[in-house]
Amino acid sequence: MLISNAYAADASATGAGGTMELVFMLAIFGLIFYFMIFRPQSKRVKEHKNLMGSLGKGDEVLTTGGILGKIAKINEENDYVLLSLNEATEITIKKDYIAAVLPKGSIKSL
């Protein structure tokens, strides 16, 4: 009997304060989510979009699959790129799969 009265008194005493604590904690979690997940991801997407816009014929690139090649042709309407791996081998990949543009002469130095 004494225990149930103690619980009832405890619940009524922290009812309004508990709601404010919950709202404050949700706001903190929202800020953490924004600064640790959403904002860095949007920066990466923006940088990748700028990289895709700056591609040109003759650029040496690295794909997400680890393939090194030189851009032989860019098809702007379909967003495909023709990569020349060597003098005899060419592959077609989607422009989005290019991870980085390498400095000139990188492929020959390997």
Side-chain angles (χ1 to χ4, degrees):
M1 186 148 157
L2 294 175
I3 295 173
S4 62
N5 289 339
Y7 282 135
D10 187 45
S12 65
T14 60
T19 305
M20 284 304 291
E21 290 174 6
L22 180 65
V23 169
F24 182 69
M25 194 163 40
L26 286 174
I28 294 293
F29 282 135
L31 288 173
I32 289 171
F33 176 77
Y34 176 76
F35 283 110
M36 294 187 74
I37 297 172
F38 182 73
R39 191 168 177 235
Q41 180 64 27
S42 64
K43 278 186 168 182
R44 277 188 290 257
V45 168
K46 186 178 179 181
E47 288 173 4
H48 192 258
K49 190 180 281 190
N50 289 337
L51 175 72
M52 295 299 105
S54 69
L55 291 176
K57 185 178 176 181
D59 287 343
E60 296 178 1
V61 295
L62 173 69
T63 66
T64 55
I67 298 173
L68 296 173
K70 186 181 276 192
I71 296 177
K73 182 181 171 186
I74 298 176
N75 188 348
E76 292 293 334
E77 59 194 38
N78 294 338
D79 287 336
Y80 284 97
V81 173
L82 184 68
L83 279 184
S84 174
L85 304 179
N86 56 28
E87 292 80 22
T89 309
E90 291 181 338
I91 60 172
T92 303
I93 65 166
K94 191 130 171 80
K95 206 176 188 183
D96 298 338
Y97 290 104
I98 295 176
V101 176
L102 303 173
K104 298 283 184 188
S106 297
I107 295 176
K108 291 192 184 216
S109 67
L110 298 175

